C-alpha cells in the first residue's frame, strides 16, 4: 500500500514525496529516488517533512502514529486504526491531549458514489432502511501471504478487508449494535480467517448480512465494482452492496435506484433510474483531503475515534466467531 501511496503522491501537484522509512527494504526509496530511513523516527525528525502516510503492518500503526503526534507531524494512518479497541483508545487520548492530526485511511468514504448514496439515504429517497447486504469476494495472490504478518493475528479478511465494508455501512446506514459472525480458515489454512460471514443489526432497526473471502474467484466486491484501483479488473455490472428501504432500494456503486411508480407492492412493476456521479479514485481524493487536513484547513473526515468505532465491530466479530455468541457492540 505504501508503494501505491507513493504513486498517488507522484500524481498530485500539491504534494512531494521526500522520504521513505522502512526497516527491511530500501527498494521503494530507490525507485522513487528519495531519502531512505531505517527508523521512522528519523524520517519524522527530517526538516523537509510536513506530513506522513503510515502504511506499515497493522500492529505497528499505533506506535508509529504516537511517534508522529509526538513529533508534531500530521499523519494519514492506514486502516485498521489499531489491532484492538484498547490500543485505539490510547491513540484517541493522545490525539485529544496533544491536538495531534490523524486522518484514518478508510479511503472508500471519499468515493463520490458513497457521498451520493449517503445523501439519497438521508434525504429519505429509499424510505426507512430495513435490510442491507454486502459482499467482498475475491482471490488474493499466493505471494501476498509470503509476508508473514498477513497470515497471523492482526491480519485476516475481517480486519484487513471487511473492516472497509462495515465502516461504510456505519457511514451509510447507522451504528452497528450487535454482530454474529462465522469465520473459516479452511482454504488457506493460516492462523487468521480467509472467509467470514456476519449478521449485524443497526441502531435504527435495520439489519444486514455481509460475506467476505480472499480465497475465491468471484466478481462481487468493492475493488471489482468500482474503478478505485486500476490494479483490479473492473466489473461494471456487479453490485457490492444492496441497500433496501421501505420506499426503494439501491444497488451500489452503480447507484441503480429501484422504486415503484404509484402503488407500492411486489405485484407492481419496479422502476429503476441511475444517479449520475463523478468517477472513483478515492485514494487521490483522500490524499487531497489529507493535504487540507495537514494544513489545518479541514477536519479529518475519518478521525481516530470514528475508526475505533469501526474497529470495535471487527473485534466483536472475532469474539463472536470464537464463541458462537451474538455480541453487543460496545458504543
Ligand atoms: N486502504 C487500503 O485500501 C489498503 C490496502 C492494502 C493495505 N492497506 C493497509 O496498509 C498497511 C500495509 O499493508 P500492506 O499489505 O501494504 O503490507 P506490506 O507488508 O506489503 O508492506 C508493509 C511495509 O512496511 C514495512 N515495515 C514493516 N515493519 C515496519 C515498521 N516497523 N516501520 C516501517 N515499515 C515497516 C515492510 O518492510 C513493508 O515494506 C496495512 O495497515 C494494511 O491494512 C490498506
Amino acid at each position: 500500500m505504501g508503494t501505491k501511496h507513493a504513486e498517488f503522491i507522484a500524481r498530485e501537484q500539491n504534494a512531494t514525496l521526500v522520504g521513505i522509512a522502512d526497516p527491511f527494504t530500501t527498494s521503494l526509496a530507490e525507485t522513487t529516488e528519495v531519502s531512505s530511513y531505517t527508523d521512522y523516527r528519523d524520517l519524522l525528525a527530517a526538516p523537509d517533512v510536513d506530513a506522513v502516510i503510515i502504511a506499515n503492518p497493522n500492529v505497528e500503526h499505533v506506535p508509529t502514529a504516537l511517534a508522529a503526534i509526538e513529533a508534531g507531524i500530521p499523519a494519514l494512518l492506514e486502516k485498521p486504526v489499531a489491532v484492538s479497541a484498547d490500543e485505539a483508545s490510547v491513540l484517541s487520548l493522545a490525539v485529544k491531549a496533544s491536538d495531534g492530526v490523524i486522518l484514518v485511511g478508510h479511503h472508500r468514504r471519499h468515493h463520490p458514489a458513497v457521498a451520493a448514496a449517503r445523501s439519497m439515504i438521508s434525504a429519505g429517497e429509499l424510505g426507512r432502511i430495513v435490510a442491507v447486504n454486502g459482499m467482498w469476494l475475491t482471490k488474493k495472490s499466493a505471494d501476498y501471504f509470503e509476508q508473514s504478518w498477513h497470515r497471523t493475528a492482526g491480519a485476516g479478511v475481517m480486519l484487513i478487508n471487511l473492516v472497509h465494508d462495515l465502516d461504510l455501512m456505519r457511514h451509510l446506514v447507522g451504528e452497528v449494535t450487535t454482530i454474529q459472525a462465522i469465520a473459516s480458515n479452511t482454504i488457506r489454512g493460516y492462523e487468521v480467517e480467509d472467509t467470514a460471514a456476519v449478521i449485524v443489526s443497526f441502531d435504527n432497526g435495520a439489519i444486514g448480512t455481509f460475506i467476505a473471502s480472499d480465497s475465491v474467484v468471484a466478481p462481487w466486491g468493492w475493488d471489482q465494482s468500482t474503478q478505485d484501483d486500476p490494479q483490479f479488473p473492473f466489473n461494471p455490472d456487479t453490485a457490492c452492496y444492496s441497500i433496501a428501504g421501505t420506499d426503494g432500494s439501491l444497488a451500489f456503486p452503480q447507484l441503480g435506484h429501484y422504486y415503484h411508480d404509484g402503488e407500492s407492492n411486489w405485484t407492481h412493476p419496479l422502476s429503476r433510474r441511475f444517479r449520475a456521479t463523478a468517477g472513483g479514485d478515492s485514494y487521490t481524493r483522500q490524499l487531497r483531503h489529507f493535504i487540507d487536513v495537514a494544513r489545518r484547513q479541514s477536519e479529518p473526515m475519518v478521525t481516530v475515534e470514528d475508526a475505533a468505532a469501526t474497529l470495535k465491530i471487527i473485534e466483536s466479530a472475532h469474539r463472536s466467531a470464537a464463541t458462537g455468541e451474538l455480541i453487543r457492540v460496545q458504543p
Side-chain angles (χ1 to χ4, degrees):
M1 193 63 221
T3 306
K4 286 187 187 174
H5 280 299
E7 286 165 14
F8 306 139
I9 291 171
R11 293 200 309 242
E12 177 53 45
Q13 60 178 2
N14 288 321
T16 308
L17 186 68
V18 294
I20 307 279
D22 194 314
F24 301 112
T25 168
T26 57
S27 70
L28 184 56
E30 280 162 24
T31 48
T32 54
E33 297 179 344
V34 297
S35 304
S36 178
Y37 303 84
T38 308
D39 190 326
Y40 57 73
R41 289 171 199 84
D42 296 331
L43 170 70
L44 289 168
D48 52 352
V49 171
D50 297 319
V52 292
I53 297 178
I54 301 171
N56 53 10
N58 297 344
V59 293
E60 302 290 343
H61 283 188
V62 168
T64 316
L66 289 173
I69 290 172
E70 203 178 317
I73 304 285
L76 165 54
L77 173 61
E78 264 303 344
K79 47 46 65 174
V81 58
V83 289
S84 72
D86 285 348
E87 204 194 17
S89 49
V90 170
L91 184 57
S92 191
L93 288 174
V95 169
K96 282 182 195 141
S98 63
D99 198 25
V101 179
I102 305 271
L103 168 70
V104 183
H106 281 293
H107 66 280
R108 295 184 190 179
R109 291 219 209 165
H110 301 265
H111 196 285
V114 170
R118 191 168 145 98
S119 85
M120 289 173 77
I121 291 168
S122 61
E125 289 184 45
L126 308 182
R128 181 176 170 180
I129 303 301
V130 176
V132 300
N133 171 243
M135 288 184 275
W136 188 87
L137 299 172
T138 196
K139 189 180 223 170
K140 288 193 177 173
S141 64
D143 63 2
Y144 174 85
F145 295 96
E146 282 171 14
Q147 288 277 19
S148 58
W149 80 267
H150 286 156
R151 305 191 299 264
T152 51
V157 77
M158 290 204 278
L159 196 51
I160 294 269
N161 305 105
L162 190 64
V163 70
H164 280 302
D165 298 298
L166 294 177
D167 180 70
L168 266 196
M169 288 307 123
R170 284 185 57 235
H171 188 60
L172 292 175
V173 179
E175 291 300 340
V176 171
T177 49
T178 66
I179 189 159
Q180 190 144 23
I182 302 173
S184 157
N185 65 352
T186 305
I187 300 304
R188 296 196 184 273
Y190 298 138
E191 178 185 323
V192 290
E193 75 288 345
D194 50 61
T195 305
V198 301
I199 304 171
V200 297
S201 61
F202 296 89
D203 58 355
N204 52 18
I207 57 178
T209 57
F210 293 84
I211 189 146
S213 178
D214 62 32
S215 332
V216 293
V217 178
W220 302 286
W222 173 279
D223 300 296
Q224 305 96 304
S225 302
T226 63
Q227 287 174 292
D228 235 6
D229 185 339
Q231 185 189 2
F232 305 115
F234 176 45
N235 230 313
D237 301 334
T238 52
C240 55
Y241 307 132
S242 310
I243 303 173
T246 49
D247 296 335
S249 292
L250 199 58
F252 186 95
Q254 294 81 5
L255 300 184
H257 176 192
Y258 294 82
Y259 60 99
H260 283 127
D261 264 327
E263 191 181 329
S264 186
N265 72 58
W266 66 348
T267 62
H268 201 72
L270 266 179
S271 299
R272 181 179 63 171
R273 64 182 165 226
F274 287 92
R275 170 72 63 101
T277 56
D281 199 357
S282 33
Y283 294 106
T284 300
R285 290 167 192 274
Q286 174 180 255
L287 176 60
R288 292 186 179 152
H289 172 62
F290 177 50
I291 293 167
D292 290 343
V293 168
R295 290 177 171 159
R296 295 197 177 250
Q297 292 166 352
S298 262
E299 291 302 314
M301 181 190 270
V302 187
T303 61
V304 169
E305 212 168 1
D306 195 353
T310 297
L311 180 64
K312 274 186 189 165
I313 305 172
I314 297 295
E315 199 167 74
S316 303
H318 277 129
R319 196 137 38 93
S320 173
T323 62
E325 289 168 13
L326 180 140
I327 305 290
R328 189 156 293 283
V329 181
Q330 295 305 318

